[in-house]
Amino acid sequence: MNGQMMSQPLLISALLNHAERHHGKREIVSRRVEGDIHRYTFRDLAARARRLAKALNELGVKPGERVGTLAWNGYRHMELYYAVSGSGAVLHTLNPRLHSDQLVWIAEHAEDRVLCFDLTFLPLVEAMATRLKGIRQFVLLTDRAHMPAQSTIPNLLCYEELIAAQDDRYQWPTLDENSASSLCYTSGTTGNPKGVLYSHRSTVLHTYASVMPDALNVSARDVILPVVPMFHVNAWGLPYSACMVGAKLVFPGAVLDGKSLYELFESEDVTMSAGVPTVWQSLLAHVAADKLKFSTMRRTVIGGSACPPSMTRAFERDHDVKVIHVWGMTELSPLGTTCVLKPVHDSLDEQALASVKAKQGRSLFGIDMKIVGPDGDELPWDGQTSGELMVRGAWVVDQYLKGEGGDPLIDGWFPTGDMAAIDDDGFMQITDRAKDVIKSGGEWIGSIDLENIAMAHPAVSMAACIAAKHPKWDERPLLVVVTKSEQKVTREEMLAFYEGKIAKWWTPDDVVFLDAIPLGATGKMLKNRLREEFGNHLVSMATALELEGQVSPQ
Ligand code: ADP
C-alpha cells in the first residue's frame, strides 16, 4: 500500500524558488574580479538565473549536456549553479589552479560544450582554446565594457549581453530527481582524475543534512562567506544551503589574502565561513599581527585536510570562533562527518576535549560508515583500532563518469582510501590517507598526529610528515617544516618538542626546513611531491654517517 502524500521530485531549482519566494530580500554580496563590490538579492538571483537558463537554451544546450565553469566565488557563478542544473544541463566546475594540460584533458573527457569563465582566466582560456575541441561556445563572465578589444578565442560571447537579451519568464522543467545536476573531478593525485556526477536528489539530500544543527548549523540568521572555492566540491554545498535556509552570502572573488578576507568579514557582518586549514593560516597570522578581533564571526568550518588542534585553539580561545571540523570527499559531494560534541563530552577536561575536537567527527544522517582490516572484516569502534574507512549513503558515488576505473564499490560500500579509527561515541578520526601511511618495521605511524604536534610549536607555520625510506626500518617519519617569518627553531628543538607527547619510536628521524610546502589545486599539502623529493633523505643521511664512520641514527 502506498502512502498518500504528494510526490515532488527533489530538484535544485526548488531551492532557488524557495529562496526567491521566502527569502527574496536576503542579500548576496560579491567582490567582483572587475574590482568593485556588487550586491543584489535572492530575488535578483532567481530572475537572472531564469534569463540565463533561456540564454543557454538558445545557445543549444541540451538536457544532460555539460557546461563548464572556470570561475571564482561570485554571483555570476551562483547564477550558473542554478541555471545550468535547473534547466536540466550539467554544471561542471573546473579547478583553474590545475595545469592547463590537465584542464584540457578534463574538459574533453567530460565533453563540456560551453565554457563560462571569469576575466582573470582569459589568458588561460586563450592558451587552451584551440585544444578544447568539444567546446562550442566560450562565454566571458563580464559586461561589454570589460570585454577585450581583441581575443584569439573565436566568437567570444559576453555573459551580460546573453542575460540582457532574455526576459525572466521561464518555468524550471520538472526533471527526474535522479537526473545528473553537476560534475566534479577528483584531484587525481594518483592516476587520472575521475568524474563524479551528482544528481538533483543527492544534492538536495546533502543540503538538508548539512544545514542541520549538529552539522553546519546554518540558518536564516547566518551570513556565510565561503572561502572554499565553488570549484572545490560545490564550495562544500554552501551555495545550496544558503538558498535552503535564506542565509546571506558573501563571495570573496579572487582576493583571498588574510587582510582582504578580514575586511569582508567585518564589513558584511559575516557569522560563518569555511575553508581548508592552509587558508586560515594566513588569516590567523593577519589578525594576530594586527591584534584584531572578529566582531560577528561565530564559527568556521574547516576540512579538506586535518585541522591541527593548535588552529582550533587559536580560533576558539583567542577569537571565540567555534571550529566545525569536517571530513568529506569529492565522492560525497562532499560532507560525510562533522565534529560536533555530544552531551557525553560535557564533563571532559580541556585536554580530553581537544583530543575529541581533533577528530573528524560523526556521520551525518544519510551516510553510514565502518572501518575494515586488510581482509575486509569490520573492525571494532574502540577509538584505537585503525582500518580503511568505508562509506555508503544517498550522496556517495556509485560509479565514476564513463565507468572509469571499474566498479568502485566493495559489497555496496565505497572504500575511501583513508585510514581511520572510530570511538564508541561514533567519532571518526583519520589517521592517514592510505597512501601517506608511514610503515616503520611493519608498524604504522600516523602522520597526521605528528603534523598536529609540530603545528603546536610556536615557530611552526606549516608541517608535513612523510614516509622516508630507511635502510633498517623500511620507512621512518621525516618531518618537513616551514617556520614563521622571524622565528627560528633548530632540528634538535623540534625533535625534543615530541618528547612525552607520543611513543618515542614515533619521533621523526630528521627535520627538513623549507621556505614553502608545495600545495595542490585545492590548497592541500602535496605530500607525494615531498616524498619524491625527500623520500631518500634518510638513506642518504645514513650513508653519509657511515662514510664518516658514525653509527646510523636508528
Ligand atoms: P583530493 O584531496 O584528492 O583533492 P578531495 O578534495 O575529495 O580530493 O579530498 C578528499 C580527501 O581529503 C579525503 O579522502 C581525506 O583524505 C582528506 N580529508 C578531507 N577532510 C579531511 C579532514 N578533516 N581531515 C583529514 N583529511 C581530510
Side-chain angles (χ1 to χ4, degrees):
M1 184 181 183
N2 284 340
Q4 295 180 319
M5 307 303 281
M6 288 189 197
S7 172
Q8 292 200 345
L10 302 174
L11 297 179
I12 286 175
S13 56
L15 293 170
L16 186 62
N17 282 340
H18 174 80
E20 180 182 29
R21 284 173 67 78
H22 302 280
H23 304 282
K25 288 186 278 189
R26 203 67 166 129
E27 268 191 318
I28 298 175
V29 179
S30 311
R31 198 194 285 280
R32 289 206 276 207
V33 290
E34 289 92 337
D36 56 346
I37 296 279
H38 170 275
R39 51 181 79 235
Y40 72 0
T41 63
F42 278 128
R43 206 167 278 151
D44 301 320
L45 164 72
R48 279 173 54 96
R50 287 195 293 269
R51 293 158 77 148
L52 176 56
K54 286 178 94 164
L56 292 171
N57 275 346
E58 212 158 271
L59 289 179
V61 177
K62 305 255 168 0
E65 267 190 354
R66 267 73 78 198
V67 173
T69 63
L70 273 172
W72 300 108
N73 291 4
Y75 67 103
R76 290 184 181 121
H77 207 174
M78 182 84 168
E79 289 161 8
L80 283 157
Y81 258 57
Y82 283 94
V84 175
S85 305
S87 65
V90 176
L91 179 86
H92 177 199
T93 49
L94 289 143
N95 184 336
R97 296 189 182 124
L98 293 173
H99 189 273
S100 62
D101 290 348
Q102 221 174 355
L103 281 173
V104 170
W105 187 93
I106 293 174
E108 291 288 286
H109 185 265
E111 299 174 40
D112 292 345
R113 292 297 172 244
V114 177
L115 181 64
C116 304
F117 58 100
D118 271 337
L119 267 176
T120 333
F121 305 119
L122 181 60
L124 173 67
V125 177
E126 283 182 331
M128 299 189 297
T130 54
R131 290 183 286 156
L132 291 168
K133 304 228 184 305
I135 307 274
R136 290 190 306 254
Q137 286 113 353
F138 291 89
V139 180
L140 190 50
L141 296 171
T142 191
D143 52 20
R144 177 48 56 188
H146 292 86
M147 289 295 283
Q150 277 185 326
S151 170
T152 53
I153 302 170
N155 306 320
L156 180 60
L157 298 171
C158 167
Y159 181 82
E160 288 300 332
E161 285 180 354
L162 288 180
I163 297 228
Q166 306 293 336
D167 61 45
D168 70 354
R169 287 192 298 278
Y170 176 83
Q171 192 68 41
W172 298 107
T174 305
L175 308 165
D176 178 337
E177 65 179 12
N178 287 305
S179 56
S181 60
S182 44
L183 174 64
C184 274
Y185 275 70
T186 59
S187 74
T189 36
T190 51
N192 271 334
K194 294 198 270 294
V196 184
L197 196 54
Y198 310 131
S199 69
H200 285 262
R201 177 187 155 81
S202 74
T203 305
V204 173
L205 290 175
H206 178 273
T207 311
Y208 272 123
S210 66
V211 300
M212 299 240 286
D214 276 356
L216 306 189
N217 189 17
V218 194
S219 82
R221 292 185 176 276
D222 274 310
V223 180
I224 312 173
L225 189 152
V227 181
V228 51
M230 289 164 84
F231 53 76
H232 185 197
V233 214
N234 306 327
W236 302 351
L238 291 170
Y240 304 118
S241 313
C243 279
M244 181 175 273
V245 303
K248 172 177 164 182
L249 271 171
V250 182
F251 287 130
V255 195
L256 299 172
D257 62 282
K259 182 169 180 291
S260 311
L261 285 176
Y262 178 78
E263 281 167 12
L264 218 45
F265 282 138
E266 290 298 298
S267 62
E268 296 300 331
D269 297 335
V270 170
T271 60
M272 79 172 281
S273 189
V276 295
T278 43
V279 162
W280 302 127
Q281 207 74 48
S282 68
L283 179 78
L284 284 173
H286 171 71
V287 293
D290 290 4
K291 298 196 170 43
L292 302 168
K293 289 281 167 215
F294 295 104
S295 326
T296 52
M297 262 267 274
R298 288 295 160 262
R299 63 198 187 286
T300 188
V301 182
I302 303 186
S305 47
C307 175
S310 53
M311 183 169 281
T312 305
R313 203 167 43 244
F315 268 117
E316 299 198 347
R317 192 190 54 196
D318 304 344
H319 297 288
D320 206 13
V321 171
K322 197 166 153 237
V323 168
I324 306 178
H325 191 191
V326 300
W327 168 88
M329 1 180 21
T330 308
E331 286 87 340
L332 277 76
S333 78
L335 291 181
T337 65
T338 54
C339 188
V340 178
L341 301 179
K342 287 181 171 179
V344 68
H345 300 119
D346 288 350
S347 55
L348 295 183
D349 63 26
E350 204 180 323
Q351 206 181 350
L353 212 50
S355 317
V356 178
K357 288 179 182 173
K359 300 187 181 196
Q360 280 70 12
R362 53 196 164 105
S363 274
L364 304 181
F365 173 74
I367 296 288
D368 194 6
M369 62 182 178
K370 65 175 180 178
I371 44 174
V372 299
D375 51 7
D377 286 350
E378 184 165 1
L379 298 172
W381 291 19
D382 58 11
Q384 299 297 324
T385 314
S386 175
E388 184 174 12
L389 179 68
M390 316 275 282
V391 291
R392 65 178 177 193
W395 53 92
V396 177
V397 70
D398 186 43
Q399 51 180 303
Y400 290 103
L401 187 67
K402 301 182 174 175
E404 221 63 67
D407 181 2
L409 308 188
I410 300 171
D411 295 335
W413 291 81
F414 173 71
T416 62
D418 285 327
M419 305 304 293
I422 306 177
D423 68 22
D424 63 356
D425 295 310
F427 279 59
M428 180 273 288
Q429 180 159 31
I430 305 270
T431 44
D432 250 317
R433 277 190 131 172
K435 57 181 185 286
D436 290 336
V437 156
I438 304 166
K439 227 166 175 193
S440 170
E443 300 272 357
W444 283 350
I445 297 180
S447 68
I448 294 179
D449 266 344
L450 297 180
E451 288 159 9
N452 283 345
I453 293 172
M455 287 295 290
H457 192 286
V460 173
S461 83
M462 216 182 267
C465 210
I466 57 162
K469 287 201 195 73
H470 191 277
K472 178 169 174 195
W473 301 103
D474 209 17
E475 287 178 353
R476 289 289 304 158
L478 174 69
L479 181 66
V480 181
V481 157
V482 179
T483 53
K484 292 179 184 156
S485 53
E486 311 294 317
Q487 302 229 33
K488 290 262 169 300
V489 56
T490 63
R491 167 191 187 275
E492 285 66 31
E493 284 163 351
M494 204 60 241
L495 295 180
F497 194 64
Y498 281 97
E499 266 169 37
K501 299 188 175 86
I502 40 159
K504 207 165 171 19
W505 65 277
W506 274 43
T507 311
D509 276 27
D510 199 15
V511 187
V512 171
F513 292 92
L514 293 183
D515 291 338
I517 288 178
L519 298 181
T522 53
K524 304 184 198 190
M525 298 188 291
L526 286 178
K527 292 214 220 170
N528 54 338
R529 195 77 77 66
L530 291 176
R531 274 197 305 269
E532 280 164 25
E533 197 169 340
F534 299 106
N536 283 318
H537 177 87
L538 298 177
V539 179
S540 323
M541 204 166 101
T543 316
L545 288 173
E546 257 173 48
L547 285 175
E548 283 172 25
Q550 298 179 27
V551 283
S552 122
Q554 274 303 316

